[in-house]
Amino acid sequence: MSLMISDLELLADVAERGSFSQAAAARGWSQPQVSQRIAQLEAALGTQLFQRHRRGAVATPACLTYLESVRRALAELDGGRRAIQGAPALPEARVGCPPSLASLVFSPLVAALAEAPVELFCHTDHSPELMERVLSGRLKLAFVLNRPTITGIQLEALARSPIVALVAADHPLAQAGPLELAQIADARISPQWWGSDAEELVRLIRQHRRAPLPLHSNQPATTARELALEHGFIVFMPAIAVLAELAAGTLVPLAIADLPQWHWEVMMAYRGGKRPDAAREQVLGAARRIGQRWRDALAGLGWE
């Protein structure tokens, strides 16, 4: 069997989607057609490319190794096509983050690379899925939260933000001194759901409430910001998500003395490698500069 460009495109598409049926639907094929073509590829290459399971297909280590060459070949062919059509052949970089981080990372990243010779494609997903997509090569970089290390992925911390109670500057408690949770428990409170520790906060608030008042959790950080600024709520959220409002004084932190010190650690995950990858290095450099600005801003507000 001689390999065709369509075979390489199909292989990359199945790896990207993690599904034979989704790759088939995108082409207007039947799922058995895709399965047969992948089986022929595996026979031609002499190795298994995907682990089939009930929910889809996972690329094998052999497939991931081969995909690096496949993607370079497809990129070269696409670059040549663009060149003869008079279009600039720019490398692309796919990056991802959880929805809770999207407003924090995507805007400054796109702005930082606005004139750079690379095209960004921004995606959102949950952190475990993002890590898998980085490992398979479907993402150049992912911004994730508090993740353990995984073989084959480099994790680099960008900033460690405290979870803080915030109110608008005109809130009655804005000028209050140190408080205890019982003193605010009956107020309008809406914690941002920043992670599993938010469950502990909700439980503690309910222990102190004297009446069966509703307790509304929210996502993403932009929702918490609006609830505090426009609707008089006390919100609990990562300080890093509202650095501009904290610096301007439109949001004010409350000191709650009897709560644990929770943190949100923003990390970037990427695959290392000895082969030069100019697009990845540009994105990593921009992300590191953004992380430095976050750390400087947090330190300026008294959070090291």
Side-chain angles (χ1 to χ4, degrees):
M1 172 188 174
S2 59
L3 293 180
M4 297 185 294
I5 294 174
S6 59
D7 296 323
L8 303 182
E9 292 172 337
L10 177 62
L11 176 65
D13 197 24
V14 172
E16 169 74 25
R17 298 174 186 272
S19 167
F20 286 8
S21 59
Q22 289 184 27
R27 286 166 168 72
W29 294 6
S30 68
Q31 193 269 347
Q33 283 179 289
V34 172
S35 295
Q36 182 182 22
R37 197 66 185 175
I38 293 296
Q40 290 172 345
L41 268 174
E42 290 176 325
L45 295 170
T47 188
Q48 184 177 0
L49 296 173
F50 294 96
Q51 293 282 351
R52 283 79 162 168
H53 58 85
R54 182 171 54 85
R55 296 176 58 189
V58 177
T60 63
C63 181
L64 294 177
T65 299
Y66 188 52
L67 272 172
E68 294 184 11
S69 298
V70 167
R71 290 195 173 99
R72 285 199 302 274
L74 291 175
E76 287 292 329
L77 290 169
D78 188 55
R81 177 187 60 79
R82 293 188 188 189
I84 63 174
Q85 292 175 347
L90 293 177
E92 69 175 39
R94 296 184 180 274
V95 298
C97 75
S100 57
L101 275 176
S103 61
L104 181 65
V105 302
F106 284 157
S107 176
L109 189 64
V110 171
L113 296 170
E115 310 301 328
V118 60
E119 293 182 342
L120 283 182
F121 293 80
C122 300
H123 306 266
T124 59
D125 208 335
H126 300 297
S127 290
E129 286 74 18
L130 291 170
M131 296 283 277
E132 189 276 326
R133 290 168 74 180
V134 170
L135 188 61
S136 67
R138 289 176 284 164
L139 290 178
K140 292 279 188 192
L141 169 69
F143 296 88
V144 294
L145 296 168
N146 307 333
R147 302 307 303 171
T149 57
I150 293 179
T151 302
I153 293 182
Q154 292 184 238
L155 280 172
E156 188 173 325
L158 290 177
R160 188 168 184 265
S161 170
I163 304 298
V164 292
L166 299 170
V167 294
D170 59 355
H171 191 281
L173 292 175
Q175 305 305 318
L179 299 164
E180 293 188 351
L181 188 59
Q183 294 175 270
I184 67 166
D186 290 329
R188 301 175 78 184
I189 300 177
S190 182
Q192 178 189 335
W193 201 261
W194 73 85
S196 58
D197 287 337
E199 296 181 17
E200 182 183 358
L201 172 62
V202 168
R203 180 181 59 80
L204 291 171
I205 293 171
R206 285 184 172 144
Q207 284 180 356
H208 288 286
R209 286 203 152 176
R210 295 183 292 266
L213 300 170
L215 186 59
H216 308 289
S217 299
N218 69 79
Q219 277 199 52
T222 49
T223 303
R225 173 188 175 278
E226 290 174 8
L227 286 170
L229 288 175
E230 300 178 18
H231 302 288
F233 276 80
I234 299 173
V235 298
F236 287 81
M237 64 186 300
I240 196 174
V242 284
L243 289 172
E245 290 79 7
L246 286 165
T250 54
L251 285 178
V252 178
L254 300 180
I256 312 297
D258 56 342
L259 282 180
Q261 293 184 348
W262 293 300
H263 287 85
W264 211 42
E265 187 166 26
V266 182
M267 314 176 83
M268 59 181 181
Y270 57 94
R271 291 179 66 189
K274 296 181 179 179
R275 293 189 181 95
D277 187 332
R280 183 190 64 187
E281 292 308 312
Q282 287 190 80
V283 177
L284 287 175
R288 289 177 180 126
R289 291 190 293 274
I290 291 167
Q292 186 62 59
R293 291 200 296 271
W294 290 339
R295 295 193 297 274
D296 291 344
L298 287 167
L301 291 166
W303 292 304
E304 297 294 339

